[in-house]
Amino acid sequence: MTQGYLFITLGKQYIDECNLLVDTIRKNNDQRPISLLIHPEDEEYAKSFKRFDQLIHFKPNDDIWQDCSTSFEKYCLYPRLKLKDYLVYDETIITDTDMICQYNADHVWTYLTNQSNPVRMLGRWNDPKWHWGSINEVIRAYGKHIPHVHGGFFYLRKHDFLELFFEQCEKIFYKYDEYKCKRAFRGGRVDEIIFAIAHSHFGMLPMPFDDYPIMSFNYSPNISVPSKLQTEGSQNFVMRNYIPFIHMFDKMGGPNFSVLYNKVMNGV
C-alpha cells in the first residue's frame, strides 16, 4: 500500500505556503511523497522547488464547474468535491496548506490505516453553534442529524466506497439551498457542510478533534513544540501523544506562523 500527501495549490502563493509545510514535514523525518494539484501554467514554478514528487494539472470541465460562481467555489470547494480523481497513492492525507507539522505523523498513518472506513475527516458529533449558528435549521431541512465536519483534513484510501461518497457530495452540492445551507462565506457555497451532510447520509461520524491527536489550531508563539495541546474550540486539553498538524489561520505571513515555523525548523 503506497502512502503520500496531496495538497491543493491553485496559485503560486499556495505553492509557497505548501513549501513551508513540506519543510516541517521533512524536518520531522517523514519522507512520504508529495503531490500537488496545480494550475498547468504554474508547473515550471512548482518544479523549481525540486521537491514535489508529482504535479497534477487542474483542468475543470464539467457541469459542477459551470455551476460554481465564486472564486472559493471554483478553487476550494470544487477540487475537494473531485479529490477522488486526483489520488496518486493507495492512502492519501490531504490538509490545507496553512499548516505546520510539528511532529512525525507515522502514528496518525498507522491509526488511519487500521480504520475500516476509507474516508476519515475531523469534527464533532454535535455542535449547535456550527455553520454560522444555523446547523439546526439545516438539520430540520435535511431531516437527519448532521455533525460538524472540518474541511482542513482528509484521509482517503482507494476503495469503491469513494465513488459513492463523492457522488453523494455532488448531489448535495445541487441541493445546497434546498437544505438551507448558508452562503455566508464570500457569498458562495462551502464544502464543509456538504461533507457533513454526506457523513449523515452514510451514517458516518467524523473523528472528534480531542479523541485522537491529529490536528490542533492556532498555537501561540509561547508554546513549546512539539506539543500535545489541543486548542480546538477554545479547549486547553493535553492529549496522550504529540499532535502532528497545527492549523495556523494567520498563514505564512502571520507572526504566529513565523515563530512556530522557526521553532520547528530550528529545534527550539
Side-chain angles (χ1 to χ4, degrees), residues 4 11 22-23 41 47 50 52 68 84 119 131 133 150 155 173 176-177 194 226 237 246 252 254 260 266:
V22 174
D23 278 346
E41 61 267 27
K47 283 183 176 179
K50 298 180 180 179
F52 305 123
C68 291
K84 66 178 176 58
V119 178
H131 197 59
H150 178 64
Y155 165 82
F173 171 87
Y176 194 91
D177 296 317
I194 292 175
F237 175 68
I246 310 304
M252 63 181 175
L260 266 295
N266 296 320

Side-chain angles (χ1 to χ4, degrees), residues 1-266:
M1 295 284 284
T2 57
Q3 296 178 334
Y5 294 96
L6 169 66
F7 300 110
I8 298 171
T9 55
L10 298 175
K12 290 181 179 178
Q13 72 271 30
Y14 298 108
I15 298 173
D16 291 341
E17 199 168 62
C18 182
N19 181 54
L20 299 182
L21 170 57
V22 174
D23 278 346
T24 61
I25 289 173
R26 296 298 188 235
K27 180 67 176 180
N28 283 290
N29 299 313
D30 187 340
Q31 299 303 319
R32 291 176 178 85
I34 307 287
S35 293
L36 304 188
L37 179 67
I38 62 167
H39 291 302
E41 61 267 27
D42 289 337
E43 179 164 356
E44 291 307 312
Y45 184 73
K47 283 183 176 179
S48 70
F49 289 89
K50 298 180 180 179
R51 69 183 324 178
F52 305 123
D53 297 276
Q54 188 152 339
L55 303 174
I56 304 164
H57 285 186
F58 182 63
K59 294 183 176 180
N61 184 23
D62 61 9
D63 291 342
I64 290 182
W65 173 256
Q66 298 302 323
D67 205 35
C68 291
S69 58
T70 70
S71 178
F72 182 86
E73 288 182 358
K74 288 179 178 291
Y75 303 114
C76 188
L77 186 155
Y78 177 90
R80 291 182 182 188
L81 292 180
K82 298 292 180 178
L83 281 174
K84 66 178 176 58
D85 298 334
Y86 309 133
L87 300 179
V88 177
Y89 317 109
D90 296 315
E91 297 177 81
T92 304
I93 283 179
I94 304 111
T95 76
D96 285 357
T97 54
D98 54 343
M99 301 269 186
I100 289 173
C101 179
Q102 65 159 350
Y103 190 74
N104 183 283
D106 283 355
H107 70 85
V108 172
W109 284 97
T110 299
Y111 176 76
L112 295 171
T113 296
N114 290 322
Q115 297 285 300
S116 60
N117 196 317
V119 178
R120 301 298 350 238
M121 298 178 70
L122 295 166
R124 291 196 171 283
W125 162 243
N126 187 46
D127 185 353
K129 296 181 180 180
W130 190 56
H131 197 59
W132 299 284
S134 300
I135 189 62
N136 286 332
E137 184 180 346
V138 181
I139 289 170
R140 287 192 294 270
Y142 182 63
K144 292 175 64 177
H145 181 77
I146 299 167
H148 170 165
V149 173
H150 178 64
F153 180 93
F154 294 81
Y155 165 82
L156 301 176
R157 185 188 314 129
K158 287 186 177 180
H159 189 281
D160 291 343
F161 177 70
L162 293 190
E163 191 73 29
L164 297 175
F165 182 82
F166 283 98
E167 280 181 1
Q168 187 62 33
C169 290
E170 293 184 9
K171 292 177 182 177
I172 297 164
F173 171 87
Y174 285 115
K175 293 187 175 184
Y176 194 91
D177 296 317
E178 178 182 334
Y179 293 149
K180 307 299 182 183
C181 301
K182 302 303 176 186
R183 296 176 180 244
F185 183 73
R186 301 176 185 172
R189 289 163 286 205
V190 294
D191 56 296
E192 291 179 324
I193 189 64
I194 292 175
F195 288 114
I197 295 173
H199 273 65
S200 179
H201 175 82
F202 289 106
M204 295 164 49
L205 296 177
M207 299 177 291
F209 295 105
D210 51 6
D211 183 54
Y212 190 85
I214 295 175
M215 181 180 293
S216 191
F217 294 82
N218 300 323
Y219 274 8
S220 60
N222 63 332
I223 289 181
S224 298
V225 295
S227 174
K228 300 177 182 179
L229 186 65
Q230 177 56 261
T231 61
E232 185 275 333
S234 300
Q235 296 185 76
N236 192 27
F237 175 68
V238 177
M239 303 196 75
R240 62 184 179 273
N241 201 346
Y242 293 111
I243 305 167
F245 300 105
I246 310 304
H247 204 161
M248 299 293 294
F249 293 165
D250 70 334
K251 304 184 185 299
M252 63 181 175
N256 288 6
F257 184 102
S258 298
V259 171
L260 266 295
Y261 171 83
N262 287 324
K263 281 188 174 185
V264 170
M265 296 305 295
N266 296 320

